Amino acid sequence: MTEKREEVNVIPLSQMGMIHAMLTEELAGTREQFETLTEALDRPHVLDDEIISRVKKVYTDQQGMLYAYEITLERWKALTLTPAQLQRVQTMEGQLKDLTEATAQVLDLADKLSEGTINKVLGMSDLEVALLYLKGQKKP
């Protein structure tokens, strides 16, 4: 990751508003995705492998890009900032921490849901499905 850190083109301080808006939007979207996936916990069979694969790709890519925000914020903090700018950077650091955690939660949930997609259920024998149902691992 050190090599990637050196490749980051830091956004100028004049774009602070744009970066703040991007972080806010990404955090809201990630939390919304988590809530949507959470609704499928009791019925992962409503999802297919393609949906789970897409979620994993999007949020793995997002996770891989979070360092760019981190580097930008670190460099901004090294500048002489007004109190308002410093407050905003600190707010964005909190958002970045929350975004990092939310992204990991989405990926963990997607992994869990991938075990029960419709593709997996259709690939099971009737006996396997019946045994899972009897064990209470699947709902009808």
Side-chain angles (χ1 to χ4, degrees):
M1 184 180 276
T2 304
E3 291 175 22
K4 287 183 179 181
R5 286 177 172 255
E6 294 172 7
E7 296 174 13
V8 173
N9 290 325
V10 178
I11 306 297
L13 189 60
S14 62
Q15 297 300 312
M16 185 182 284
M18 178 189 72
I19 297 300
H20 185 243
M22 288 171 59
L23 274 169
T24 301
E25 188 174 312
E26 285 183 49
L27 180 56
T30 302
R31 285 178 171 161
E32 183 178 335
Q33 182 65 67
F34 181 78
E35 292 301 319
T36 299
L37 291 175
T38 299
E39 292 174 12
L41 270 174
D42 290 336
R43 46 194 178 89
H45 59 276
V46 300
L47 303 172
D48 63 23
D49 287 347
E50 187 176 331
I51 291 170
I52 295 296
S53 177
R54 180 69 181 143
V55 168
K56 286 181 179 182
K57 174 159 181 21
V58 167
Y59 288 93
T60 297
D61 289 349
Q62 176 172 294
Q63 192 174 49
M65 294 303 297
L66 294 176
Y67 72 92
Y69 286 123
E70 182 183 339
I71 296 302
T72 297
L73 295 176
E74 284 175 8
R75 292 190 183 164
W76 284 353
K77 280 183 73 172
L79 301 173
T80 303
L81 301 173
T82 66
Q85 289 171 326
L86 180 58
Q87 175 69 35
R88 199 164 196 187
V89 168
Q90 290 169 339
T91 297
M92 288 187 280
E93 285 177 324
Q95 288 177 305
L96 179 58
K97 180 181 181 283
D98 292 347
L99 180 58
T100 300
E101 291 170 6
T103 301
Q105 289 174 335
V106 166
L107 288 169
D108 289 344
L109 187 52
D111 280 339
K112 183 175 182 178
L113 290 169
S114 71
E115 298 170 9
T117 63
I118 188 66
N119 303 81
K120 302 294 187 298
V121 173
L122 291 174
M124 294 178 180
S125 69
D126 291 343
L127 179 59
E128 289 172 313
V129 173
L131 288 173
L132 287 175
Y133 175 73
L134 290 173
K135 289 181 183 177
Q137 294 177 358
K138 295 280 183 209
K139 294 188 178 186

